[in-house]
Amino acid sequence: HRVKKFIYASSMAVYADSPRPDPLPESYLTAPISPYGVAKLACERYALLVASQSGFDAVALRYFNTYGPRQTYTPYVGVVTIFVQRLLRGEPPVIFGDGEQCRDFVYVGDIVEATWRAMACDVRNEVLNVGSGRGVTVNQIAALLCARLCPEISPQRAPEHPGELRNSVADITRARQTLGYEPQARLEDKIDEVVAWNRGIV
């Protein structure tokens, strides 16, 4: 089909857990702790291998915790969307474990920009992190959303989920150098977009 370049949407779930919320470079240990992460890592390797053997280019982009309007609601992904929808229904957000899990929340517009740059520029056979480069805890997300939407509601606590990374923050140095990628959005500034979209569907 004359494919010249294949962009694979990978995930931060390919990494081993980190004991500290330090930014993880692409060279960090890939030892997934969930079936999802195992599948993503396997597909990365298939894509890069097949591309090298078949004469086209491949790039694997490891997306971190993406958020934004139009995100599909499921019980398993998109903690920002899950919390927003619960609060709009007058229900408390549920925090699993102590809430100090640290994540890199990256706006969908920045994901699109990085993906377009990977497609358009002369990068090949690379694996790149795509995130904001900034860590935010689940407790901080819950506090921000409760304050914006329902200050009278406090989060509920539940036992931690097995197979959940404790710390996952992107080192985006390579994406900056290779793609000229620079995230533009800040979570605090984009939450209102997420809220506005979800008000129309809750």
Side-chain angles (χ1 to χ4, degrees), residues 16-24 28 100-102 166-169:
D17 206 351
S18 173
R20 294 177 304 278
D22 299 331
L24 306 179
Y28 190 75
E100 287 303 299
Q101 305 95 316
C102 193
R166 180 71 176 172
N167 295 300
S168 183
V169 181

Side-chain angles (χ1 to χ4, degrees), residues 82-181:
I82 291 171
F83 283 5
V84 166
Q85 289 207 10
R86 288 186 64 87
L87 286 164
L88 289 175
R89 293 194 297 264
E91 302 169 0
V94 179
I95 296 175
F96 296 95
D98 65 5
E100 287 303 299
Q101 305 95 316
C102 193
R103 298 284 180 269
D104 186 322
F105 292 96
V106 55
Y107 181 64
V108 63
D110 288 328
I111 291 285
V112 171
E113 179 68 20
T115 305
W116 173 253
R117 286 174 177 270
M119 188 165 26
C121 76
D122 189 28
V123 58
R124 64 192 67 183
N125 305 322
E126 282 270 12
V127 176
L128 300 169
N129 288 336
V130 181
S132 69
R134 175 186 173 211
V136 180
T137 69
V138 175
N139 283 332
Q140 289 172 323
I141 289 285
L144 172 65
L145 291 172
C146 286
R148 292 272 180 102
L149 295 176
C150 293
E152 70 278 8
I153 291 180
S154 297
Q156 285 183 351
R157 301 284 171 173
E160 64 179 284
H161 274 162
E164 183 180 14
L165 292 169
R166 180 71 176 172
N167 295 300
S168 183
V169 181
D171 180 337
I172 56 174
T173 303
R174 187 183 290 183
R176 281 185 167 122
Q177 294 172 344
T178 305
L179 306 179
Y181 167 71

